[in-house]
Amino acid sequence: MTINFYTRGIALKRAALDKNDSSEDRRRSKELFNEALQITWPAFVELVMSTLFGMVDMIMVGWVSSSYIAAVGLTNQPFQLLIAVFAALNVGTTTLVAWNIGAHDLKRARMVTRQALTIGTSLGVIISVLGVITAKYIIKFMGAQPDTFGPATQYFKIVSSGLVFQVITMAVTAALRGAGETRIPMLYNVGANLFNVFGNYVLIYGKLGFPALGVAGAAISTDISRILACLTALYVLFFSRKTRLAITFKDNFHLDFSIIKQIFKIGIPAAGEQFILQSGLILFARTVSGLGTATYAAHQIGLNINGLTFSPSQAFGVAATTMVGQSIGANDTKKAEESANLIHKMGMCVACFVGLMFILFSHPIARLYTSDTNVTRMAGTVLKIMALAQPGQSTQLILAGALRGAGDTMYPLYASATGIWVFRVIMAYVFVYIFNWGLVGAWVAMVLDQYTRSLIVYLRYRSGKWKYVKSRVDMI
């Protein structure tokens, strides 16, 4: 009898402990969910609204002429390639700031911010000048048709001249994201994009006494909006005191090579990833541009709308980078893994919903861009194919963000190199011109690319080796 009471007592104690553990797990999960939500929703709003405004840009020039859609579209990938080098700066900055915030070393987090600002400004000037000088050669390389060469070159030159402002804004945004302060960049980026829509209306169509400038008007409006975003971002850092990363002009802005080495140790693989990604996408664009202006316009509509599907996963990727980075900085690898797992689940739910929406409403969305029924028919088909890529796309963007937060930037590079160059470069050409699948073949290759990248990133994440990368960076 005594033994039975003793056994029951142990069982009751164990049940109580299990209940406490379960309650603690639920509390911890709720805290992580709330933290993830606080970081994700501003980044989500910022990225979605920026993408929507980009779609409005394309829609507004498209209603002037469908060839303008192709002209603006031809510049997208070269611009992304030009600023790919800044992925090294931005990823390295976000990760280092997150590590130092997690370690409660605010002084060093501000030092990293100042270094990012100094490097970004210097390199931004160089990239702007380079873009203006090489504009016509780049557009020619992209395979522009006679009806798009002139407008595309003009657009490229004007927008290139303002790239320096975009680069500075990106550096500030990268630092703020590392600190988990995603609400601030949401405000200045959304505000600037709202102005861009107004500027488009005035300058593209010639309203309020301004001349109708068409594509050139869209480019000028883009530059003005980027200048406004840049000035606001700098005001936040130097004058507002709304951020933990606040700095002053009296601070030391001299180059600190120990910090710079750490930034680029983390970021160079990310820059390589972007370079491989964007150069592959340029060749992918050239493959499709050979199918004619109407087909390429439909392709650009698909890419433009596809940017909207990237935005939620990118926002969750930002949260993964920040939360994993801060957890790694605090030497809490358990929290880092729990955060990444939770954010991945949240992102997958959103991705599946987005995919369903594109299956149901693909053709009505495409008709927003142009009245050309042939173009909208092809674009609608593209959107249905794109919907199939959403789970893979979400996985690779979110888990790659988690790896970057840990400083493990090599495997996203490997994933992009494999997916882009095997499928979007080689297999896209095979599908389009050898199998004669046309535009559908190009987008089938895109789906295969997304799942290949997601598999490589997922396997690296599951290995757990990313948890120990920081120690190697700290040794620099």
Side-chain angles (χ1 to χ4, degrees):
M1 195 69 150
T2 303
I3 294 175
N4 287 339
F5 277 121
Y6 178 73
T7 304
R8 287 176 62 190
I10 291 175
L12 288 171
K13 286 181 180 179
R14 285 179 177 172
L17 288 172
D18 289 342
K19 185 177 181 180
N20 288 336
D21 287 344
S22 178
S23 176
E24 177 65 23
D25 288 342
R26 285 196 298 271
R27 183 190 65 79
R28 185 179 176 90
S29 295
K30 185 177 180 180
E31 287 178 354
L32 287 177
F33 178 82
N34 289 336
E35 186 178 351
L37 206 59
Q38 287 299 311
I39 297 172
T40 300
W41 80 258
F44 176 81
V45 171
E46 176 196 344
L47 291 166
V48 168
M49 294 303 290
S50 295
T51 304
L52 283 172
F53 289 133
M55 293 168 66
V56 170
D57 266 6
M58 193 77 79
I59 290 169
M60 292 177 84
V61 299
W63 281 103
V64 177
S65 169
S66 61
S67 66
Y68 282 0
I69 295 177
V72 173
L74 280 168
T75 68
N76 287 340
Q77 295 319 142
F79 275 132
Q80 294 300 318
L81 183 61
L82 276 177
I83 63 174
V85 66
F86 297 102
L89 177 63
N90 297 331
V91 171
T93 297
T94 298
T95 301
L96 270 187
V97 168
W99 286 357
N100 286 295
I101 291 294
H104 304 290
D105 191 345
L106 188 57
K107 180 180 178 181
R108 191 164 179 84
R110 288 171 174 169
M111 289 172 63
V112 173
T113 303
R114 292 198 299 272
Q115 294 299 304
L117 198 56
T118 302
I119 299 168
T121 302
S122 303
L123 294 180
V125 172
I126 295 171
I127 211 74
S128 284
V129 173
L130 185 64
V132 173
I133 293 173
T134 61
K136 64 180 180 180
Y137 304 106
I138 291 173
I139 298 303
K140 184 177 180 181
F141 175 80
M142 288 299 297
Q145 301 294 321
D147 59 336
T148 59
F149 181 83
T153 303
Q154 185 182 37
Y155 184 87
F156 196 93
K157 283 184 176 180
I158 297 171
V159 174
S160 290
S161 65
L163 281 176
V164 59
F165 302 104
Q166 182 185 7
V167 170
I168 294 171
T169 306
M170 288 165 58
V172 176
T173 299
L176 293 173
R177 285 175 175 172
E181 297 171 349
T182 51
R183 192 175 304 186
I184 298 171
M186 174 197 73
L187 292 172
Y188 61 66
N189 282 319
V190 170
N193 279 298
L194 278 169
F195 178 86
N196 188 33
V197 173
F198 172 74
N200 281 345
Y201 172 75
V202 171
L203 297 176
I204 292 174
Y205 305 124
K207 304 296 182 180
L208 303 180
F210 286 88
L213 300 176
V215 167
I220 293 169
S221 177
T222 296
D223 278 352
I224 295 173
S225 67
R226 286 176 176 173
I227 291 170
L228 292 175
C230 179
L231 292 175
T232 307
L234 292 175
Y235 175 82
V236 167
L237 274 187
F238 286 97
F239 301 109
S240 74
R241 299 295 180 258
K242 297 290 186 182
T243 170
R244 289 178 286 178
L245 301 178
I247 57 180
T248 70
F249 290 109
K250 295 179 181 180
D251 292 334
N252 182 8
F253 283 85
H254 292 114
L255 296 179
D256 184 323
F257 289 101
S258 65
I259 292 178
I260 292 171
K261 284 181 181 178
Q262 284 190 315
I263 288 175
F264 285 101
K265 172 73 174 179
I266 297 167
I268 282 177
E273 177 193 352
Q274 286 301 309
F275 184 82
I276 287 170
L277 176 68
Q278 300 304 332
S279 59
L281 290 178
I282 283 175
L283 295 177
F284 181 63
R286 285 198 70 193
T287 296
V288 180
S289 67
L291 296 173
T293 298
T295 302
Y296 193 71
H299 176 67
Q300 283 305 317
I301 291 172
L303 288 178
N304 199 240
I305 298 170
N306 190 39
L308 187 63
T309 72
F310 271 88
S311 298
S313 297
Q314 284 178 320
F316 286 116
V318 168
T321 299
T322 301
M323 291 182 68
V324 168
Q326 291 184 3
S327 300
I328 292 291
N331 294 316
D332 190 346
T333 56
K334 181 181 179 183
K335 182 181 177 182
E337 187 167 12
E338 289 176 346
S339 299
N341 289 338
L342 175 63
I343 293 168
H344 182 218
K345 291 176 183 177
M346 294 166 67
M348 286 291 283
C349 291
V350 174
C352 291
F353 174 76
V354 170
L356 178 62
M357 292 301 99
F358 281 118
I359 288 174
L360 295 176
F361 303 109
S362 57
H363 287 87
I365 294 171
R367 283 196 292 270
L368 293 173
Y369 285 78
T370 179
S371 58
D372 188 321
T373 55
N374 185 41
V375 172
T376 56
R377 177 185 57 79
M378 290 187 289
T381 301
V382 159
L383 296 185
K384 283 186 167 61
I385 298 171
M386 182 182 69
L388 303 176
Q390 297 311 301
Q393 178 177 286
S394 180
T395 294
Q396 68 99 354
L397 287 172
I398 294 170
L399 295 186
L403 295 181
R404 293 185 188 106
D408 189 4
T409 49
M410 287 303 297
Y411 275 80
L413 167 62
Y414 300 150
S416 291
T418 304
I420 289 291
W421 283 85
V422 171
F423 291 100
R424 294 227 197 172
V425 175
I426 299 172
M427 294 309 299
Y429 183 86
V430 171
F431 292 160
V432 171
Y433 293 111
I434 297 179
F435 289 2
N436 292 318
W437 290 356
L439 186 60
V440 169
W443 282 79
V444 168
M446 186 276 287
V447 173
L448 295 174
D449 157 43
Q450 291 292 350
Y451 280 100
T452 300
R453 282 194 271 170
S454 68
L455 177 62
I456 294 171
V457 169
Y458 177 77
L459 291 176
R460 175 62 175 182
Y461 174 76
R462 289 287 295 173
S463 75
K465 294 178 181 179
W466 52 273
K467 300 173 186 177
Y468 313 105
V469 172
K470 180 178 181 292
S471 59
R472 298 198 295 271
V473 177
D474 287 340
M475 293 174 62
I476 296 176

